[in-house]
Amino acid sequence: MTKKKIVLLDGNSLAYRAFFALPPLTNEHGIHTNSVYGFTMMLQNIIAEEKPTHLLVAWDAGKTTFRHKTFVEYKGGRQKTPSELSEQFPYLRKLLDAYNITQYELDQFEADDIIGTLSHIGDAEGTEVVIISGDKDLTQLATENTTVYITRKGITDTEKYTPEHIMDKYGIKPLQIIDMKGLMGDASDNIPGVPGVGEKTALKLLLEYGSIENVYKSLDQITAKKLNENLTKYEEQAYMSKELATIDVDSPITISIDELVYTGPDVDKLTSIYKELNFKTLLEKLAPQEVVEKPLDEIKVTIASDITEEQLTDTMAIHIEMMDENYLNAEILGIGLADADKTLFIDFSEVEKSAVLKEWLQNKDKKKYSTDSKAALASMARYGIHLEGIEFDLLLATYIVNPATSYTDVASITRELGYSEVQQDEFVYGKGAKKAVPSIEEIAEHASRKAQAVWKLRPVLEDKLRENDQYDLYRDLELPLASILGKMESTGVKTDKEILVGIGKELTLKLTDLEAMIYEIAGEKFNVNSPKQLGVILFEKIGLTPIKKTKTGYSTAADVLEKLESEHEIIRYILNYRQLAKLNSTYIVGLLKEIHEDGKIHTRFQQALTQTGRLSSINPNLQNIPVRLEEGRKIRAAFVPSEPGWSLFTADYSQIELRVLAHISQDEKLIEAFQQGADIHTRTAADVFGVEISEVTSEMRQSSKAVNFGIIYGISDYGLSQSLNIPRKDAATFISKYLASFPGVKQYMDDIIAEAKLKGFVTTLMNRRRYLPEITSSNFNIRGFAERTAMNTPIQGSAADIIKKAMIDMAARLESEGMKTRMLLQVHDELIFEAPEDELEKLKKIVPEVMESAISLDVPLKVEWEFGKSWYDTK
DNA sequence: ACGCTCACG
DNA sequence: ACGTACGTGAGCGTA
């Protein structure tokens, strides 16, 4: 027989905790589910870790308790429970019911008292008891047999209060926690305590006198005048506070420990509640085989050979089927085609053989509706087939309608639109080690279904785009851009392996030295790359003071280490080691792995991913190649032109986001500054500090630069204080001065938040949308985040629109000028080309011209360019 | 799989 | 009551 172990949960406290720890999730009916989800995670964790034989969730009963008789205002002034949380309580009850966990509440008593009483009984029996809550008051219940787990940051992490731990932490015994609360009070429960006494003073008094009673017996020994006065004046209040903070361990409960036996969940009930709440991952874990695919409608699949012109009509939906997501090197299995009355699958070996099909693919008068046009284009290009005539792109259309949904494969996209006739790729090909090529019949059906889905969904999406006034954005910006990006990806960037290897060797040498040095100073070997091990060395062995904590321990991030640099010599070696280790692993070893046989790196641009409209770059990411520090910048020397005698040419928009802000906000001063061509940070400094331009110091300019960044991000005093390393108050002063100097910006910030609340979304200059449902949240954090997003997205997103437009114009211009220059990369506000020597002069003229006239704003756009023999040299 | 750290705009 | 600047991707260690 296993040993008895009782786990007692504080239901209300944990529900709150889960609610605030998680982002707002909802099921398809808009019911909030985050608290239930978090609670479930905690519960699973507790059951797995503690393996309780007895389990109980205690709830607070109603509004009034016996404590209100002592003090009417007990728990007064509390914010009303947010409706997003209160609507979840019935589901929590149902969940626990499905788990077969006893729930208990008692009129006039709080959950604390129920827990206290039961733990008291268990303790007397000598049974092991674990109490779990977010409320530190419960630590008063810790005994030799009873441990109190208090939730920390996150939802499953807890701090375990045993009597020893409480002694270590506060220097008092568990029951003295009550005296501590009595003296210091508790704002959240509206327990007054003694004014002027906080945690420090309370602990000092208890260390000296042991209890509130003894403090008052020895009052004349307390010489601190103010403290003595307060203690004297508020004696009655101190005793009352102690009474309020005392958990009743003898409440009149009508339940016995035997009734708490935990036998495990009712899987059927659990499945039904998980379904109701849309907990997909939990459902899968519960019974992976139970998630059955609904049978699809039958379709007629034709596996074609000897393609004829008659089979290929003027307009068809097309999908290139590949097993791997990386279409730049994945094996092409075949092509699925569909129109109104048929589907067709062509095995890739047939594609290569069929001149008729190739002709059709390359004919721009034969219209194609695709699932992902960039993938289609780039994958075909590998076989010398230049796909033309793309008229529709399912991926892009869905993304423009709402960038928030996550797009993994065609099945998920179409399901989102209420169409469920396509199977998940995972289902067809298997997952992980079980991934394998199925029969040609299966592939044919899968690819045909995808093509058919595109055919059926195109009108739906086009209507939606028109309805949202986003058809132009889709048709004139994203769709043509897809082809351009496809070409850029196919072209790739020539990368000099030798240069990377050379830098790698130097780095390895330096890293070995640094490592040895660090071990010597630390007095032992450890993994410098492990924040956990490093934390132990720095903050336990060496004894430095931790400045910041993370969920899992001490933070060892660079900003923390920099603050400790003067404290110990080891820090600078660690910082240096970190910097070089990053360069070596990500940019030397990482990039070397990505060089193809053609000596080039072919990144892929994700065009339907970011929430703002920017692109992202993967496999590898070429949008974050080091530049800020010289050591890292040298990596750029490895990126070179692919033809002898050519150069790389880079052009970047100067301050595009601030210019966009000036335009959108119509702030007169900001517009004027840009029209005059002033250095914007200096100009901002002059306005904010109220001095002449000539009097602006470099510190003033630096602060203003940080404020300008902050404004773009949706400023907060905390954020600015972190970036400038100044007190929060000073940061707040800066911000208010800035907003007073630029009233148009202030007005914009207020207006955009109001607009987002009203419409539920914000838009960019070219009508890209981002929905912000969280902007009406009653949770301060979540709402604040949404508000900053509302301020930032139109700025970042409009800048993204502009450079996308510039890319389209630039590609057209290069074409019309008959130039050989190729566009290679886009890095958010920068374009990188490779060009033959004799086109450089022309580029210097047309690149700025095209980029600067991509859009007409009320401020000029400014482009700066460079060229050189490598990316490093374009500076 | 997830968190931390750090590279970029 | 709670912990934050906006947007990304990759490598590593740890679970």
Side-chain angles (χ1 to χ4, degrees):
Chain A
M1 160 122 192
T2 41
K3 216 175 142 218
K4 203 164 157 187
K5 181 169 186 179
I6 307 172
V7 172
L8 306 168
L9 302 171
D10 183 346
N12 295 74
S13 164
L14 295 178
Y16 261 89
R17 185 67 226 179
F19 178 74
F20 286 112
L22 293 176
L25 313 164
T26 53
N27 71 358
E28 73 269 33
H29 305 300
I31 301 283
H32 288 80
T33 58
N34 60 340
S35 177
V36 189
Y37 187 75
F39 205 106
T40 312
M41 302 306 285
M42 288 187 209
L43 208 52
Q44 290 195 340
N45 209 40
I46 290 158
I47 293 170
E49 302 258 313
E50 306 299 332
K51 303 187 173 53
T53 56
H54 294 65
L55 201 48
L56 170 100
V57 173
W59 297 105
D60 293 340
K63 267 194 154 170
T64 60
T65 67
F66 69 90
R67 289 187 179 84
H68 290 89
K69 284 180 197 150
T70 311
F71 185 49
V72 202
E73 286 137 83
Y74 176 66
K75 291 203 172 176
R78 272 206 175 177
Q79 289 251 327
K80 228 180 109 224
T81 306
S83 65
E84 292 93 334
L85 174 57
S86 49
E87 72 189 29
Q88 298 186 53
F89 281 110
Y91 294 95
L92 280 168
R93 300 267 183 162
K94 266 166 97 176
L95 174 86
L96 293 167
D97 189 41
Y99 261 100
N100 289 322
I101 292 171
T102 312
Q103 305 180 57
Y104 189 71
E105 59 190 276
L106 184 61
D107 191 35
Q108 296 296 315
F109 289 84
E110 293 180 61
D112 297 10
D113 305 310
I114 301 167
I115 291 173
T117 307
L118 284 164
S119 74
H120 201 60
I121 298 170
D123 190 43
E125 292 175 356
T127 310
E128 185 182 359
V129 179
V130 169
I131 294 169
I132 302 171
S133 174
D135 183 351
K136 283 195 181 148
D137 282 8
L138 277 91
T139 56
Q140 63 182 266
L141 299 171
T143 68
E144 194 190 327
N145 300 317
T146 305
T147 309
V148 184
Y149 294 8
I150 300 297
T151 54
R152 263 198 290 231
K153 206 177 158 184
I155 49 168
T156 47
D157 189 21
T158 56
E159 184 169 0
K160 301 177 171 58
Y161 287 82
T162 56
E164 294 76 44
H165 182 64
I166 295 168
M167 185 55 74
D168 286 349
K169 190 164 171 161
Y170 300 114
I172 57 176
K173 292 182 184 147
L175 284 173
Q176 289 176 297
I177 295 277
I178 309 171
D179 294 275
M180 180 170 127
K181 276 279 148 72
L183 288 167
M184 64 184 273
D186 182 344
S188 69
D189 288 343
N190 207 27
I191 297 178
V194 177
V197 177
E199 186 177 308
K200 288 254 165 67
T201 315
L203 287 173
K204 221 168 90 189
L205 289 169
L206 291 176
L207 193 69
E208 183 90 27
Y209 306 104
S211 69
I212 292 189
E213 289 75 7
N214 286 337
V215 167
Y216 282 102
K217 274 182 202 152
S218 323
L219 202 54
D220 49 354
Q221 293 172 24
I222 295 169
T223 48
K225 200 169 156 230
K226 191 76 201 170
L227 177 62
N228 192 305
E229 258 177 55
N230 277 335
L231 284 167
T232 311
K233 189 166 167 200
Y234 295 100
E235 178 169 357
E236 205 177 314
Q237 194 166 304
Y239 283 116
M240 178 194 77
S241 296
K242 178 171 176 174
E243 193 185 332
L244 288 172
T246 306
I247 292 174
D248 187 350
V249 296
D250 195 20
S251 60
I253 56 168
T254 57
I255 192 168
S256 71
I257 286 182
D258 293 341
E259 292 170 64
L260 313 183
V261 175
Y262 175 67
T263 50
D266 178 328
V267 178
D268 287 346
K269 278 192 191 168
L270 212 50
T271 308
S272 108
I273 184 161
Y274 284 173
K275 273 190 188 150
E276 189 175 353
L277 296 174
N278 229 343
F279 291 170
K280 288 180 198 148
T281 34
L282 287 173
L283 260 177
E284 274 173 45
K285 273 189 197 154
L286 202 60
Q289 69 280 20
E290 275 194 8
V291 191
V292 280
E293 291 280 316
K294 127 177 183 320
L296 307 183
D297 296 346
E298 293 225 344
I299 64 162
K300 187 173 176 295
V301 180
T302 309
I303 301 177
S305 53
D306 294 326
I307 320 288
T308 61
E309 280 180 44
E310 290 69 45
Q311 285 176 298
L312 302 170
T313 46
D314 285 349
T315 309
M316 293 191 98
I318 180 171
H319 172 76
I320 317 288
E321 184 64 22
M322 286 170 273
M323 225 175 87
D324 194 273
E325 54 150 21
N326 189 343
Y327 51 80
L328 293 179
N329 49 40
E331 183 193 353
I332 300 176
L333 299 171
I335 299 180
L337 295 171
D339 61 17
D341 37 47
K342 66 168 183 294
T343 67
L344 211 58
F345 176 78
I346 304 139
D347 187 81
F348 195 64
S349 57
E350 290 290 327
V351 177
E352 288 186 285
K353 276 190 271 174
S354 172
V356 174
L357 180 65
K358 279 190 191 169
E359 205 299 303
W360 184 85
L361 290 169
Q362 304 192 84
N363 185 341
K364 70 173 181 352
D365 296 325
K366 305 290 177 183
K367 306 296 182 206
K368 287 116 190 153
Y369 303 153
S370 71
T371 46
D372 177 351
S373 62
K374 178 157 64 66
L377 198 115
S379 59
M380 287 291 110
R382 287 159 45 202
Y383 296 89
I385 300 170
H386 301 287
L387 196 62
E388 294 276 0
I390 292 165
E391 293 271 306
F392 179 78
D393 185 312
L394 177 72
L395 181 68
L396 290 176
T398 330
Y399 171 67
I400 295 306
V401 168
N402 184 1
T405 351
S406 57
Y407 308 92
T408 45
D409 59 8
V410 178
S412 336
I413 298 175
T414 56
R415 199 152 298 183
E416 186 75 27
L417 296 159
Y419 182 91
S420 45
E421 294 300 319
V422 182
Q423 281 178 327
Q424 301 279 341
D425 284 338
E426 226 174 67
F427 193 85
V428 177
Y429 296 112
K431 196 182 168 184
K434 280 187 234 148
K435 196 165 171 178
V437 186
S439 70
I440 184 165
E441 286 77 18
E442 285 173 83
I443 298 171
E445 174 169 346
H446 191 47
S448 300
R449 285 183 180 281
K450 287 181 184 174
Q452 196 176 49
V454 177
W455 184 272
K456 294 206 167 141
L457 291 170
R458 183 191 61 91
V460 180
L461 280 160
E462 290 193 344
D463 283 352
K464 189 92 189 155
L465 288 165
R466 288 201 182 86
E467 194 185 305
N468 286 358
D469 203 11
Q470 293 185 299
Y471 191 74
D472 292 350
L473 167 67
Y474 156 76
R475 181 64 207 236
D476 301 334
L477 198 78
E478 298 295 351
L479 196 57
L481 183 68
S483 300
I484 292 168
L485 291 171
K487 285 190 192 101
M488 290 162 66
E489 294 173 355
S490 302
T491 305
V493 190
K494 174 86 172 175
T495 309
D496 189 329
K497 210 180 220 170
E498 302 312 317
I499 293 182
L500 290 180
V501 170
I503 300 174
K505 279 185 185 151
E506 276 178 43
L507 288 173
T508 311
L509 285 177
K510 284 188 190 163
L511 283 167
T512 317
D513 282 354
L514 282 167
E515 204 181 46
M517 191 74 106
I518 291 165
Y519 293 161
E520 195 183 314
I521 299 174
E524 66 179 285
K525 286 193 173 185
F526 65 101
N527 187 345
V528 188
N529 283 320
S530 158
K532 195 179 169 191
Q533 295 179 33
L534 181 61
V536 172
I537 297 283
L538 294 182
F539 305 115
E540 288 175 19
K541 185 160 182 191
I542 295 179
L544 293 166
T545 321
I547 292 177
K548 221 171 34 178
K549 273 196 208 148
T550 68
K551 214 178 281 188
T552 48
Y554 311 109
S555 169
T556 65
D559 63 327
V560 172
L561 296 186
E562 274 158 21
K563 292 196 177 86
L564 295 168
E565 213 170 339
S566 57
E567 307 287 320
H568 200 279
E569 55 165 350
I570 198 170
I571 301 293
R572 68 187 175 95
Y573 295 110
I574 290 168
L575 283 167
N576 198 215
Y577 178 92
R578 276 258 181 90
Q579 190 201 338
L580 302 185
K582 170 86 178 176
L583 291 177
N584 196 43
S585 64
T586 305
Y587 298 104
I588 301 295
V589 180
L591 286 179
L592 280 170
K593 276 190 253 177
E594 301 283 352
I595 302 179
H596 289 220
E597 281 177 14
D598 60 4
K600 291 174 167 185
I601 290 182
H602 299 264
T603 184
R604 277 179 301 141
F605 292 104
Q606 303 257 62
Q607 200 186 346
L609 183 140
T610 71
Q611 300 307 300
T612 55
R614 276 189 175 183
L615 302 175
S616 88
S617 157
I618 56 165
N619 297 136
N621 182 354
L622 291 187
Q623 289 181 322
N624 72 346
I625 303 301
V627 66
R628 292 174 191 166
L629 300 172
E630 178 57 25
E631 288 105 314
R633 191 174 200 151
K634 292 209 164 70
I635 307 273
R636 294 187 168 217
F639 294 92
V640 294
S642 68
E643 314 262 357
W646 286 34
S647 296
L648 290 187
F649 187 99
T650 66
D652 67 286
Y653 281 112
S654 158
Q655 307 294 354
I656 188 167
E657 292 187 334
L658 282 174
R659 287 171 201 263
V660 166
L661 172 65
H663 175 86
I664 299 183
S665 70
Q666 287 291 309
D667 184 278
E668 285 177 26
K669 267 208 222 153
L670 208 50
I671 290 178
E672 192 194 308
F674 279 119
Q675 280 170 347
Q676 290 171 350
D679 174 305
I680 193 64
H681 301 312
T682 305
R683 181 58 197 262
T684 308
D687 279 323
V688 171
F689 292 98
V691 298
E692 291 301 314
I693 298 268
S694 57
E695 293 167 331
V696 172
T697 64
S698 68
E699 288 78 20
M700 287 154 90
R701 185 179 182 279
Q702 196 209 335
S703 311
S704 297
K705 190 172 171 180
V707 176
N708 277 328
F709 270 111
I711 291 292
I712 291 170
Y713 295 154
I715 203 151
S716 77
D717 50 6
Y718 178 85
L720 184 65
S721 74
Q722 290 297 302
S723 100
L724 280 176
N725 213 349
I726 55 169
R728 190 173 169 150
K729 250 185 151 174
D730 297 1
T733 313
F734 263 129
I735 295 167
S736 56
K737 275 191 191 159
Y738 178 98
L739 294 174
S741 303
F742 298 96
V745 174
K746 168 93 173 79
Q747 189 66 44
Y748 162 73
M749 299 295 174
D750 295 343
D751 291 350
I752 195 74
I753 291 170
E755 188 186 325
K757 284 194 171 132
L758 189 68
K759 294 193 194 159
F761 61 87
V762 291
T763 56
T764 66
L765 285 175
M766 301 197 188
N767 244 353
R768 191 184 302 283
R769 284 188 182 188
R770 181 174 188 177
Y771 289 89
L772 297 168
E774 297 173 354
I775 203 147
T776 54
S777 168
S778 59
N779 180 305
F780 174 83
N781 268 330
I782 293 166
R783 190 179 62 246
F785 190 42
E787 287 172 352
R788 292 196 295 277
T789 310
M791 298 186 250
N792 170 264
T793 297
I795 302 172
Q796 192 183 114
S798 297
D801 293 348
I802 294 170
I803 194 163
K804 283 179 167 177
K805 172 70 167 34
M807 291 170 77
I808 292 168
D809 294 349
M810 210 42 238
R813 185 68 179 269
L814 288 174
E815 172 88 27
S816 70
E817 299 270 355
M819 293 170 75
K820 297 197 189 74
T821 297
R822 302 172 192 135
M823 208 185 309
L824 301 178
L825 296 172
Q826 186 250 46
V827 190
H828 310 307
D829 63 356
E830 177 183 15
L831 295 177
I832 294 125
F833 305 86
E834 61 179 3
E837 205 62 35
D838 61 1
E839 290 184 5
L840 288 175
E841 283 308 312
K842 198 162 185 178
L843 285 178
K844 291 179 196 171
K845 188 174 143 291
I846 67 169
V847 173
E849 184 184 307
V850 169
M851 288 174 74
E852 285 171 4
S853 56
I855 190 175
S856 170
L857 301 180
D858 294 329
V859 290
L861 287 176
K862 197 176 156 213
V863 167
E864 286 163 355
W865 52 262
E866 300 288 345
F867 65 91
K869 285 296 163 197
S870 77
W871 199 0
Y872 178 83
D873 298 314
T874 60
K875 56 161 189 173

